[in-house]
Structures are given as C-alpha cells and as structure tokens.
C-alpha cells in the first residue's frame, strides 16, 4: 500500500536456525522484549520465520553505540561532557527500570535482569534519544532458556561481583554494570 519503514533485523545464524535450543532462546528473547514498552528500550516489532531462517524485526535507531561514541570522542580529544554523560545514563536507567518492572500478560513480575549492560548495548540516536538493546542473555522469570551452571553470560568487565560468582541476580546487577559504564 506504499508504506515503508526502515527496520533493524536480528538474524539467527543459519547454522543455529534448525537447532531447537537456539530457536527457543531466540523466540524467548523476542517474547521478553515484547513485554518491555518504554522509549529508552528498542522495541521488538515482529518475529519472522522464512525458509529455515528466523529474524527479529526491531525499530531502527539512526545513531551510534555508546562504545563508538566513546572512541570517537577520545579520538577528537573532546571527551563526553558531564551533561551528556548524565543524559545518557539517565536514559539507560529509565529503560532498565522499565525492563525491571515488566510483567507477563497476567501482571506478574518477570524479574528481568539484562546481564549485559555495556557501551555496545546502548544506542544514542542522532536526535539524542538513548536506547538499550539486546536482551539475548537476560535472565527472567519464566524464560525457557536457562543458563547452565558455570557459564557466564555478558561482558566480564561490566559484571557485578554476584554475576561473576554465579550467584542469584536481581536488578542491582544491571545498576552495577551501568555504574561501570
């Protein structure tokens, strides 16, 4: 009907698209993301299965990751100003709070913990919007995929001590990681 929109696709690699475990984890991430509705979280719009491929359709954010912004600001010698840093952190905290408060269709808390809060998973649009992405390794009540004992998920340098030790996690672990960011 003449309507178009630029979107971002997260694709399950072909070698994993026929593995029921990976397909379950991927669709589980999509279901989880669909429960988080907040301007500071990139929305998941749809899941498409086509010819042994699986795609997650998400809003496209025209901008950069925080990690790239940090590199660019260091190269220019300008750094990131304190007001900009506060605005970015505030946006991420609002998005994380929405994730932490998300509920299932019955209104029960999902107890989401992102587990991978890092500059690579924070997007800043060219309009100044801040959005958190990638709930692929998130922990949540009712998720089909469970982390095996002894397996760490996330980026080590940003993990809370509890996460590194493999202890039970709650939202404070994400707040710790953002403090490291």
């Amino acid at each position: 009907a003449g309507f178009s929109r630029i979107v971002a696709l997260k694709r399950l690699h072909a070698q994993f698209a026929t593995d029921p475990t990976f397909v379950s984890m991927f669709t589980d991430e999509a279901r989880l993301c669909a429960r988080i509705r907040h301007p500071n979280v990139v929305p998941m719009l749809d899941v498409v299965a086509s010819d042994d491929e699986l795609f997650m359709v998400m809003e496209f954010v025209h901008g950069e990751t925080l990690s790239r912004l940090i590199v660019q600001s260091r190269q220019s010698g300008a750094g990131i100003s304190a007001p900009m840093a506060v605005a970015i952190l505030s946006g991420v905290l609002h998005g994380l709070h929405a994730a932490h408060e998300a509920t299932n269709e019955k209104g029960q808390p999902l107890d989401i913990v992102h587990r991978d809060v890092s500059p690579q998973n924070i997007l800043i649009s060219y309009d100044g919007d801040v959005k958190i992405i990638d709930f692929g390794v998130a922990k949540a009540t009712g998720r089909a995929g469970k982390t095996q004992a002894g397996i760490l998920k996330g980026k080590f340098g940003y993990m809370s001590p509890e996460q590194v030790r493999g202890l039970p996690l709650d939202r404070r672990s994400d707040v710790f990681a953002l403090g490291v960011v």
Side-chain angles (χ1 to χ4, degrees):
F3 174 81
S4 66
R5 179 178 182 181
I6 296 174
V7 296
L9 297 178
K10 183 173 183 177
R11 177 179 163 239
L12 187 58
H13 288 283
Q15 72 237 34
F16 303 120
T18 56
D19 183 324
T21 302
F22 283 98
V23 170
S24 176
M25 287 176 9
F26 194 79
T27 55
D28 206 27
E29 176 187 357
R31 274 192 287 279
L32 186 66
C33 290
R35 300 301 308 169
I36 306 168
R37 292 178 217 81
H38 194 273
N40 295 108
V41 177
V42 172
M44 200 278 306
L45 306 172
D46 200 359
V47 175
V48 178
S50 170
D51 300 326
D52 293 332
E53 288 192 289
L54 202 53
F55 299 92
M56 205 178 303
V57 182
M58 298 173 292
E59 173 187 283
F60 176 77
V61 177
H62 188 64
E64 302 285 349
T65 62
L66 179 57
S67 61
R68 186 162 165 96
L69 183 65
I70 290 169
V71 168
Q72 290 171 343
S73 69
R74 284 185 183 151
Q75 288 174 343
S76 73
I80 295 177
S81 69
M84 183 184 288
V86 169
I88 292 167
L89 294 176
S90 176
V92 175
L93 283 169
H94 284 289
L96 285 173
H97 182 71
H100 296 152
E101 293 293 314
T103 60
N104 66 15
E105 56 283 347
K106 296 177 183 174
Q108 300 162 326
L110 289 172
D111 300 319
I112 296 172
V113 180
H114 188 284
R115 295 198 299 187
D116 197 14
V117 177
S118 63
Q120 295 83 358
N121 289 329
I122 298 168
L123 297 177
I124 295 94
S125 78
Y126 294 128
D127 293 331
D129 296 327
V130 177
K131 296 184 183 267
I132 190 157
I133 60 169
D134 200 354
F135 284 81
V137 299
K139 174 197 86 62
T141 301
R143 267 198 96 164
K146 301 289 182 195
T147 302
Q148 296 174 338
I151 303 293
L152 290 177
K153 290 188 173 182
K155 294 173 191 73
F156 187 76
Y158 298 94
M159 290 181 181
S160 68
E162 297 80 11
Q163 188 173 359
V164 170
R165 291 185 189 118
L167 299 173
L169 300 178
D170 60 30
R171 63 182 65 198
R172 295 175 293 180
S173 186
D174 287 342
V175 175
F176 179 93
L178 186 58
V180 174
V181 170

